[in-house]
Amino acid sequence: MDPSHVIEVEDSKLLRTFQRFGLVVDHALGAYIWDASGRAYLDFMAGYGVAILGHGRREIADAIKAQLDRNSICHGSLYSPARAEFLEELFSVLPSNMSSAYMANSGAEAIEAAIKVAVKATGRSLLMAAKGSYHGKTLGALSITWGEKYRKPFSQLLPKVHFVDYGDLKSLESAPFEEAAALFLEPVQGEGGVNIPSGEFMREAERRCRSSGCVLVMDEIQAGLGRTGRIWAHEHWGVRPDVMTIGKGIGGGVPMGITAMSSELSSAMRLGEQTSTFGGNPLASAAGTAVLRVLKAERLWENAEKMGSRFIQGLGRIASSRRLAESSRGLGLMDALDLRIGVSEVIPALISNGFISTYSGLRTLRFLPPITIGEEEVDRALSIIDKTLAEIEQAKRAASGERD
Ligand SMILES: Cc1ncc(COP(=O)(O)O)c(C=O)c1O
């Protein structure tokens, strides 16, 4: 299909809920995406952090193809070797207190299941989350998502939600732990701006959960699976969640979400209380097994830590040398650059220079590249970001009549 026709069809037929950037993807491999004209783009968005092993990873494609020849659907009422194999791999990397997992089709669905499990197990209905949080856009997940622009148009959300200040110990002191079913926390906030909490905050949150019976849910959907330099980002903080939600990269590009929980919680759920037609789908399971095997065999969290530190240092240099950049931060390959101008001005310019990234809020570029990237890709990304900001600065100077 002609790229301009693709844009025309999508723009006229698809519900307009995504911010679009006018790039039609022809194919992708490793850390690169190509458009129909054969132009390559370095992809530091990676499907919003999904392509952790890079695009077109052979092991994932082979696993999906082999599974497709056996069966592509096996309802949860029947048994599936592909699902069992995935679960064995999954539990080999989960913390030892996790005893069962619910298999869903997206991150938001994994969050919905976590809400239900916590409410059922505690008999409480109040939920707690953090300001700046993002947990998804289904009604339950949206209720514990901070952004007003997402929540406000939909009045009938879950009625009892308390938001603590992310990273603020004082705000934990006054939070109603005794009445709460669960506290949902991202180990590093993504949508909120790549916010990295202190270990002290996380451990105090855990301590208060333990003493009050409030369930601690770690939302590892974005930060998990090696991205921050540990398999699970909460490992940085030395805490032990009661529930973990996992998504994005886990299905190797096939939709999948996981809610893992400790035995005390899983025993609260009864037959029929949480199911989904596609949950535990054999194709997603086969892909997920391949993802986890590659992740473990190549110890990719170590690469994320190493490449992340090179990239974060480079972002720091850009932040201190470019007028349009303000500050930078990151953990492994979950990184951000704060700008003094809107991302809407910068992202299209980056795309024009062959680089794709995403954003958090209006002025922060967010980077979620494949965690397989090497030094060449890190350096290339830094050089494109620097060059793009230099070009915008120069254009602004020219427009204001200022001399170089
Ligand atoms: C931390 C976190 N939780 C939940 C979600 C929702 O996942 P999904 O978009 O697959 O529903 C996201 C998506 O970006 C996320 O980053």
Side-chain angles (χ1 to χ4, degrees):
M1 206 184 251
D2 180 64
S4 58
H5 188 52
V6 173
I7 293 179
E8 193 186 307
V9 173
E10 287 206 16
D11 280 353
S12 61
K13 304 272 190 286
L14 195 62
L15 188 68
R16 282 187 179 239
T17 53
F18 284 96
Q19 171 76 45
R20 314 302 296 263
F21 291 110
L23 174 65
V24 180
V25 178
D26 185 78
H27 65 282
L29 191 66
Y32 286 89
I33 276 177
W34 280 264
D35 67 15
S37 74
R39 177 150 197 232
Y41 300 80
L42 183 55
D43 185 14
F44 270 42
M45 169 160 80
Y48 255 79
V50 169
I52 49 171
L53 305 187
H55 296 284
R57 185 75 194 210
R58 202 64 263 151
E59 292 89 334
I60 300 175
D62 288 346
I64 294 173
K65 282 180 196 159
Q67 186 56 42
L68 205 47
D69 284 338
R70 298 174 76 97
N71 63 349
S72 58
I73 182 65
C74 178
H75 187 257
S77 53
L78 304 175
Y79 289 87
S80 159
R83 194 155 50 219
E85 225 175 342
F86 170 75
L87 287 167
E88 281 189 342
E89 283 298 338
L90 178 68
F91 277 87
S92 77
V93 293
L94 285 177
S96 58
N97 66 322
M98 294 290 137
S99 78
S100 45
Y102 171 70
M103 297 176 75
N105 313 290
S106 68
E109 257 191 71
I111 294 286
E112 295 293 330
I115 294 174
K116 286 175 72 175
V117 167
V119 165
K120 184 85 194 308
T122 59
R124 305 173 184 174
S125 56
L126 174 75
L127 299 173
M128 296 203 292
K131 294 177 186 171
S133 66
Y134 185 84
H135 299 293
K137 292 196 178 115
T138 50
L139 290 181
L142 186 57
S143 305
I144 53 169
T145 285
W146 174 245
E148 236 199 320
K149 66 176 177 188
Y150 299 137
R151 276 188 294 128
K152 214 173 169 189
F154 306 97
S155 54
Q156 295 301 314
L157 298 176
L158 297 180
K160 287 161 71 182
V161 179
H162 178 91
F163 288 99
V164 300
D165 289 306
Y166 192 68
D168 180 18
L169 286 167
K170 274 230 155 45
S171 134
L172 294 178
E173 272 169 33
S174 53
F177 278 88
E178 306 287 336
E179 297 154 49
L183 170 61
F184 285 76
L185 290 175
E186 290 159 83
V188 175
Q189 282 188 337
E191 167 88 10
V194 187
N195 300 324
I196 304 165
S198 66
E200 211 187 347
F201 170 80
M202 283 296 185
R203 287 188 291 277
E204 181 58 15
E206 180 194 36
R207 195 187 66 71
R208 287 182 183 266
C209 281
R210 292 283 170 274
S211 64
S212 64
C214 172
V215 172
L216 179 62
V217 183
M218 278 289 153
D219 181 348
E220 292 271 3
I221 289 168
Q222 187 166 146
L225 292 170
R227 175 161 299 286
T228 67
R230 302 280 186 280
I231 295 190
W232 307 113
H234 72 257
E235 291 171 38
H236 288 285
W237 320 128
V239 295
R240 215 171 149 84
D242 303 304
V243 174
M244 282 167 66
T245 52
I246 306 159
K248 294 201 186 276
I250 187 72
V254 183
M256 187 189 242
I258 298 288
T259 314
M261 65 204 83
S262 64
S263 54
E264 302 86 71
L265 296 171
S266 50
S267 59
M269 295 301 273
R270 298 279 171 269
L271 273 187
E273 285 179 345
Q274 185 65 23
T275 63
S276 156
T277 300
F278 291 112
N281 175 274
L283 292 182
S285 299
T289 301
V291 167
L292 291 171
R293 285 185 181 157
V294 172
L295 186 76
K296 282 198 300 182
E298 298 186 5
R299 300 181 65 82
L300 287 172
W301 57 93
E302 291 175 359
N303 189 60
E305 184 166 45
K306 206 163 143 214
M307 292 306 127
S309 117
R310 188 178 180 96
F311 187 54
I312 294 161
Q313 275 176 32
L315 288 178
R317 285 194 298 274
I318 293 174
S320 55
S321 63
R322 289 276 156 230
R323 271 203 286 183
L324 294 181
E326 194 172 347
S327 54
S328 62
R329 70 198 151 274
L331 197 60
L333 287 170
M334 184 165 176
D335 307 315
L337 181 66
D338 296 324
L339 302 171
R340 293 185 208 278
I341 54 171
V343 286
S344 56
E345 218 178 315
V346 179
I347 288 181
L350 287 168
I351 292 176
S352 300
N353 284 332
F355 182 79
I356 303 169
S357 66
T358 181
Y359 56 97
S360 297
L362 297 176
R363 287 176 177 239
T364 301
L365 290 175
R366 181 173 20 149
F367 308 100
L368 301 168
I371 63 172
T372 47
I373 55 170
E375 289 180 358
E376 193 266 326
E377 279 128 352
V378 168
D379 295 348
R380 193 183 168 94
L382 290 167
S383 127
I384 299 177
I385 297 164
D386 191 49
K387 172 179 164 230
T388 306
L389 292 179
E391 286 169 359
I392 300 174
E393 279 172 11
Q394 199 179 15
K396 284 188 182 299
R397 275 199 301 270
S400 69
E402 202 185 308
R403 278 212 234 110
D404 264 333

